[in-house]
Amino acid sequence: GLFTTEELLWHRASGQMATRGPGTYKIPGFRDIPQVFNVSLLKDVQWENLRTIQRSRGVGEPPLFMGSSVFFAIRDALKAARLQSGVHDVLSLQSPATVERIRISCADPIVRRALVQPKEGEKSFFVSI
């Protein structure tokens, strides 16, 4: 969500939010779950000395950092893909790592042929915050 799919865009002329509702937001579904999802917990670990409410963590911190781990995994995969394509310049990937940003960051020959550079003074229809 926060690091991969939720990009808020506002229309430059009207100031209205352009990315609202399910038409512009990729809602995760059942097919987004991997077919094979191997998870293991730490073995032979005793949790008796953990001093939290019912041995739980805070509400916001763990999910936030779990989401950022996805962002950094995508960044590492992009670095490897760029090296395979012979691109050695610095990767600048902004959060959220949307599908468009990921594809453009691959910098493979197909993306290089399709890349359009804005002309002087040209601005996007949308403002991203």
Side-chain angles (χ1 to χ4, degrees), residues 81-87 103-116:
R82 290 165 65 94
L83 285 176
Q84 284 181 351
S85 294
V87 178
R103 184 66 183 106
I104 291 171
S105 295
C106 286
D108 60 14
I110 296 171
V111 170
R112 285 194 293 257
R113 282 195 307 249
L115 194 60
V116 176

Side-chain angles (χ1 to χ4, degrees), residues 5 55 69 80 94 110 123:
T5 59
R55 295 178 176 89
S69 68
Q94 295 179 353
I110 296 171
K123 293 183 180 178

Side-chain angles (χ1 to χ4, degrees), residues 14 16 19-21 29 33 44 46 48 52 54-55 69 72 77 86 88 90 96 103 114 116 124:
S14 68
Q16 292 185 348
T19 53
R20 61 174 186 253
I33 300 171
D44 302 324
Q46 301 295 323
E48 291 130 12
T52 59
Q54 296 295 323
R55 295 178 176 89
S69 68
F72 292 115
H88 299 283
V90 176
R103 184 66 183 106
V116 176
S124 171

